[in-house]
Amino acid sequence: MSDEEFAADFDRADAILAGALQQFQAENVNPYVYGMALLEIGVAAMIKVGEDEAAIVDTVRQLDAKIRPGMQESGRA
C-alpha cells in the first residue's frame, strides 16, 4: 500500500470514527465502555493483519505517549 493509499484509508477511517464518537456521546455511552470497545476492535484488526503481541503493545504505548500529554494539558485526563 502506498503512502497516499494509506493516508486515504486513514482519512476514511477517521471520518467513520468521528461519526461513531458523536453517536456514542449522543447516546450517553460511558467513555470507558466505548473506549474499550474501540480498543478491542483495533487490537483485533492488528491481529488479523498479522501483528504480534509485542508490536500491538508497542503501538498502544506509542499512542498513549502521543495522546496523554494533550489530554492532561486540557484537564480531561
Side-chain angles (χ1 to χ4, degrees):
M1 174 180 284
S2 72
D3 288 346
E4 293 83 20
E5 291 170 322
F6 184 86
D9 269 0
F10 190 89
D11 288 345
R12 283 195 306 273
D14 193 43
I16 291 166
L17 289 174
L21 178 60
Q22 289 176 348
Q23 189 165 357
F24 285 134
Q25 292 171 342
E27 296 288 332
N28 294 316
V29 176
N30 181 299
Y32 182 84
V33 172
Y34 67 74
M36 289 300 294
L38 291 169
L39 183 59
E40 182 176 349
I41 291 168
V43 169
M46 292 178 74
I47 291 169
K48 185 174 184 173
V49 298
E51 292 291 323
D52 63 20
E53 180 181 349
I56 293 168
V57 170
D58 185 54
T59 298
V60 172
R61 285 189 176 127
Q62 289 176 34
L63 287 169
D64 180 75
K66 177 181 174 183
I67 297 165
R68 184 177 300 275
M71 297 294 290
Q72 289 174 332
E73 289 170 12
S74 68
R76 292 185 286 189

